[in-house]
Amino acid sequence: MGYTSPRQIFNAEEEFQLETYIKKACDIYFGLTLTEVRKLANDCGKALLKSLP
């Protein structure tokens, strides 16, 4: 959100799935720190073989 498209890594569906996972973790009181969220996003990007253009 707020990034121009050359910097966007995830498409809308992938971003929605990541957002949903983070919200579910919060709902069950398994909150993630900002550092953990960044690491999760990085790991997801690596798993999906994403990289900056």
Side-chain angles (χ1 to χ4, degrees), residues 15-47:
E15 190 170 331
F16 177 76
Q17 289 176 348
L18 187 58
E19 176 186 350
T20 302
Y21 176 83
I22 293 167
K23 286 180 179 179
K24 279 185 182 178
C26 183
D27 287 343
I28 63 169
Y29 300 104
F30 187 75
L32 300 168
T33 66
L34 181 58
T35 303
E36 291 170 329
V37 170
R38 288 178 178 167
K39 183 173 181 346
L40 177 64
N42 186 24
D43 292 345
C44 288
K46 286 180 181 177

